[in-house]
Amino acid sequence: MNFFAIRAIYKSEMNRTWRTLLQSVVSPVISTALYFIVFGAAMGSHMGPVNGVSYGAFIVPGLIMLSLLTQSITNASFGIYFPKFLGTIYEVLSAPISAFETVLAYVGAAATKAVFLGSIILITARFFVPFSIMHPFWMVAFLVLTAVTFSLFGFIVGVWANSFEKLNLVPMLIITPLTFLGGSFYSIRMLPPFWQHVTLFNPVVYLISGFRWSFYDESEIAVKTSLAMTALFMGLCMAIIFWIFRTGYRLKR
């Protein structure tokens, strides 16, 4: 294991975050805080409880997951796309570092940034709505597992994209709508039976449901099912990345 190379790539990616602190950290936190103000504090005070939890507290896990998914994909995709765009990817490909070590460095940095941001948003939420965490261990587990899984997915997006437009296509037009329709602001039990079954085809539903269970010990979907679906998606992403490095798909473009 080439720990020196892994550390070099990891530190480079983390330093890029600190250089763009306003864009990488401050901006997502402010955007999420606005959600808490509008939906949690303002609208939540006029709405009844959802599944036995106040509406403001109910949306906390969903909003954290919304930021976590978006930032995981964005950080990982930009991390691998910029070396391709600048031509420095050849330095990585020619260095004595394996594919596993390369993915470990880029995905590790993206997941670290996403978990850091999710933790800040969790702390920020305390200033707007009161909430409890019934299963703190599983809350951290879901946070880390989701960050790693979607950082792997973001790595795939960064390899696939050959323009900045494609780079923003998946987070903005796919992940964000799926998160909004995955129960971030409502319980899927509120939907008619037909749409409840349709919603189950949305993979984000399982992430939000499991994450919300860690807060309030209540979920629309069994926790084991949420973990299994997350693990399945992670395995699929790892298989695609293995194929990418084996075939060299778009790594040099």
Side-chain angles (χ1 to χ4, degrees):
M1 183 75 73
N2 192 341
F3 291 104
F4 180 81
I6 295 174
R7 186 178 63 178
I9 296 176
Y10 182 87
K11 288 180 64 177
S12 175
E13 287 299 298
M14 294 303 294
N15 288 336
R16 182 164 59 86
T17 300
W18 308 132
R19 290 195 302 267
T20 59
L21 192 63
L22 287 176
Q23 178 183 353
S24 302
V25 178
V26 177
S27 179
V29 171
I30 292 177
S31 299
T32 308
L34 291 176
Y35 281 116
F36 284 124
I37 294 173
V38 174
F39 291 96
M43 294 180 58
S45 60
H46 299 284
M47 299 182 65
V50 180
N51 296 343
V53 181
S54 67
Y55 184 74
F58 179 83
I59 66 173
V60 169
L63 288 177
I64 294 174
M65 195 61 67
L66 172 63
S67 298
L68 190 71
L69 298 183
T70 304
Q71 292 302 313
S72 297
I73 294 174
T74 301
N75 290 329
S77 59
F78 270 84
I80 191 61
Y81 177 78
F82 268 112
K84 290 170 48 185
F85 179 74
L86 299 175
T88 56
I89 190 65
Y90 292 98
E91 299 177 6
V92 177
L93 296 176
S94 61
I97 179 172
S98 66
F100 173 77
E101 293 163 347
T102 303
V103 174
L104 184 63
Y106 280 110
V107 171
T112 300
K113 289 183 278 188
V115 170
F116 175 70
L117 182 62
S119 301
I120 293 178
I121 293 174
L122 180 64
I123 296 172
T124 304
R126 280 286 186 184
F127 293 98
F128 298 99
V129 291
F131 62 89
S132 60
I133 302 177
M134 301 292 292
H135 306 283
F137 171 80
W138 286 109
M139 187 276 290
V140 175
F142 268 107
L143 197 70
V144 174
L145 186 61
T146 303
V148 172
T149 301
F150 278 82
S151 293
L152 288 168
F153 182 63
F155 188 91
I156 297 171
V157 173
V159 172
W160 165 77
N162 53 15
S163 65
F164 285 100
E165 288 76 14
K166 286 187 176 181
L167 202 63
N168 292 312
L169 179 67
V170 173
M172 297 301 297
L173 296 183
I174 298 179
I175 298 302
T176 299
L178 286 179
T179 306
F180 274 93
L181 297 174
S184 295
F185 296 97
Y186 59 89
S187 171
I188 62 174
R189 293 171 181 167
M190 299 176 175
L191 300 174
F194 172 77
W195 290 108
Q196 288 187 30
H197 289 89
V198 172
T199 302
L200 295 179
F201 288 96
N202 180 355
V204 179
V205 169
Y206 300 92
L207 301 175
I208 295 177
S209 179
F211 194 54
R212 184 170 284 131
W213 169 85
S214 68
F215 278 73
Y216 309 120
D217 197 27
E218 197 281 334
S219 65
E220 297 91 349
I221 299 171
V223 179
K224 292 182 179 179
T225 304
S226 298
L227 287 171
M229 292 297 293
T230 306
L232 178 64
F233 188 59
M234 176 186 285
L236 178 62
C237 290
M238 293 177 67
I240 294 174
I241 290 175
F242 174 78
W243 173 80
I244 287 172
F245 275 94
R246 187 165 184 172
T247 61
Y249 173 77
R250 284 194 178 181
L251 280 176
K252 299 180 182 180
R253 298 185 184 181

